[in-house]
Amino acid sequence: MDYSKVLQEIKEEIVTFKNTGKVATYIPELGKVDPSKFGVYLQCTDGSGYGLGDALDRFSIQSISKVLSLSLALKLKGKEVWKRIGVEPSGDPFNSLVQLEYEKGIPRNPFINAGALVVADILISELKNPKEELLQFVRDIAEDQTIDYDENVAASEMMHKFRNASLTHLMKDFGNIHNNVDDVLDFYFHQCSIAMNCKQLTQAFTIFLNYGKYDLSKEAAVLDTMLAKRINALMLTCGFYDESGEFAFSVGLPGKSGVGGGIVALHPKYYSIAVWSPPLNKNGNSELGMKVLELLTSKTEISVF
Ligand code: GLN
C-alpha cells in the first residue's frame, strides 16, 4: 500500500472541508492553541513512516493518555484492575456522573474520566514515584526521553477541576478511590497534560501492534498478546465515548481521542496513525481528525472489519 500517496490525496481533499468544530476552552490553557494546526503521522509495521503538516508539533494528549496509564496499570496489577472498572461502552459523555450512582462507584470503562481516575488511583497505590514513573513509561515506549508534562496545562486544569473532583469524591464515597482525592486529581491532570507530537504518539502506540510483538528487535514485548488484544478491544468499543459506535462504523479501527484535538488509531497488523486538529465536535472528538481517518480506511479499503 502506498500510504504516502493516500495521505497526499487526503490532504488535497480536506482543503474544502468545512470545520464546524470548536477548540476546547473549559481548560483555559487549551483554548490558546491555534485552531488551524493540522498534523498527521503514520507509522507502518514494516518500519516506514509518513508525516504531513504539523506532525512534529507537540500538543496536549489529554485523554489519549488514558490508554497509556491503563497499559501500565494492567502490567502491574493484571486482572485485579477489572474488579474496580468495567469494560462496557457508557453511551454518555466522557465526564458524565450519572451512571456512577447506580453502578455503585464502578466506572463503565477505563476511558471515560471516572475510569481513568480509578486507574490513576491504582497507579498511585502501586508506584513509589507515580508521576515520574508514568512519564518514564511513556518516554520508553515512545523512545523519546524529551517527552514531558506541560505544567501550565496541568495547573490550568487543576484550577477548573470541579467536574473531575465531583467524580473522584463520589467514587471515594463508594470506596473505589483509595488515595487522597487531590493526589488522584494531581496525577490525572499531569497525565492528561503530557505534550507529544503525532510521530511520538504513533511510536508509543506501536506496543498495541502485531499482538504486542511489534518491535522484534526487543527481547520482550511491552505488552503480552492478550493485553494488547484487550486494550485494542476497549479502544474500539469505548475510545470515543458516546461516539464510539460512529467511529467504528465510519472508520473501523481501534483508537482514542483527546480534547487537545489528537486522535490515535491503529490497524493491529499494519500501522498506527496519529492526527491532530484542535477544533472538536460536540462529543469532544477532533472533527477533522475523524474525517481524515474515515478517508484513510475508505481509500485503502483496509479496516479491522
Ligand atoms: N483532562 C480532560 C478532562 O478530564 C480529558 C478529557 C478528554 O480528553 N476527553 O476533562
Side-chain angles (χ1 to χ4, degrees):
M1 180 63 62
D2 188 348
Y3 287 109
S4 155
K5 184 164 160 266
V6 173
L7 290 182
Q8 276 307 326
E9 278 176 32
I10 293 173
K11 188 181 167 192
E12 281 155 33
E13 243 168 83
I14 59 171
V15 173
T16 54
F17 182 74
K18 292 255 172 305
N19 201 330
T20 62
K22 299 256 177 313
V23 175
T25 50
Y26 78 100
I27 302 170
E29 200 60 26
L30 294 183
K32 296 182 182 166
V33 175
D34 175 357
S36 69
K37 286 284 181 186
F38 174 69
V40 184
Y41 198 89
L42 188 144
Q43 176 66 51
C44 293
T45 40
D46 68 8
S48 54
Y50 310 92
L52 265 189
D54 303 311
L56 300 181
D57 281 21
R58 295 182 195 213
F59 57 91
S60 192
I61 69 169
Q62 292 295 319
S63 285
I64 297 170
S65 68
K66 292 170 180 171
V67 186
L68 307 177
S69 58
L70 175 69
S71 302
L72 184 56
L74 286 171
K75 270 170 74 72
L76 295 167
K77 292 290 279 180
K79 287 204 283 277
E80 288 284 295
V81 169
W82 306 123
K83 291 188 181 148
R84 295 175 58 188
I85 308 170
V87 293
E88 296 295 343
S90 73
D92 277 325
F94 64 86
N95 55 5
S96 177
L97 282 148
V98 287
Q99 301 193 37
L100 276 181
E101 176 80 36
Y102 56 83
E103 302 277 0
K104 303 209 174 342
I106 305 288
R108 292 283 285 184
N109 69 68
F111 296 155
I112 49 174
N113 286 15
L117 287 159
V118 173
V119 171
D121 186 61
I122 292 170
L123 289 176
I124 294 175
S125 299
E126 286 303 305
L127 302 171
K128 245 202 201 109
N129 300 300
K131 281 195 271 188
E132 289 76 6
E133 288 176 60
L134 175 72
L135 185 60
Q136 195 54 53
F137 174 70
V138 176
R139 286 175 172 171
D140 289 346
I141 59 174
E143 296 182 355
D144 191 327
Q145 300 300 316
T146 68
I147 292 167
D148 217 334
Y149 295 119
D150 182 331
E151 292 294 344
N152 291 330
V153 172
S156 182
E157 195 161 3
M158 187 54 106
M159 299 253 296
H160 298 265
K161 65 181 178 183
F162 314 109
R163 170 69 66 147
N164 285 310
S166 312
L167 289 165
T168 316
H169 279 290
L170 184 57
M171 291 190 291
K172 178 111 185 148
D173 184 64
F174 278 113
N176 201 16
I177 291 289
H178 300 169
N179 294 283
N180 173 285
V181 167
D182 277 331
D183 290 347
V184 175
L185 291 171
D186 178 60
F187 179 88
Y188 171 72
F189 294 148
H190 273 84
Q191 75 166 63
C192 290
S193 84
I194 295 175
M196 288 168 79
N197 63 37
C198 291
K199 185 165 193 267
Q200 292 164 333
L201 279 169
T202 56
Q203 179 60 43
F205 274 65
T206 59
I207 63 173
F208 308 110
L209 299 181
N210 264 345
Y211 309 97
K213 305 272 183 311
Y214 167 71
D215 199 337
L216 299 171
S217 65
K218 300 252 166 64
E219 258 174 46
V222 175
L223 297 177
D224 71 35
T225 301
M226 289 313 281
L227 267 191
K229 179 205 116 179
R230 295 208 162 102
I231 296 170
N232 286 339
L234 284 166
M235 280 196 264
L236 187 86
T237 52
C238 312
F240 298 83
Y241 319 112
D242 39 345
E243 208 174 15
S244 298
E246 174 67 34
F247 193 81
F249 180 78
S250 56
V251 178
L253 298 174
K256 185 74 203 78
S257 60
V259 289
I263 298 180
V264 186
L266 59 98
H267 189 291
K269 266 197 155 102
Y270 303 120
Y271 59 76
S272 55
I273 181 167
V275 188
W276 176 47
S277 163
L280 308 176
N281 66 17
K282 65 176 186 351
N283 299 306
N285 299 319
S286 170
E287 188 164 294
L288 181 55
M290 303 266 291
K291 181 72 194 167
V292 166
L293 294 167
E294 183 186 342
L295 286 170
L296 175 72
T297 52
S298 304
K299 283 178 182 298
T300 56
E301 295 188 344
I302 298 172
S303 77
V304 293
F305 303 110

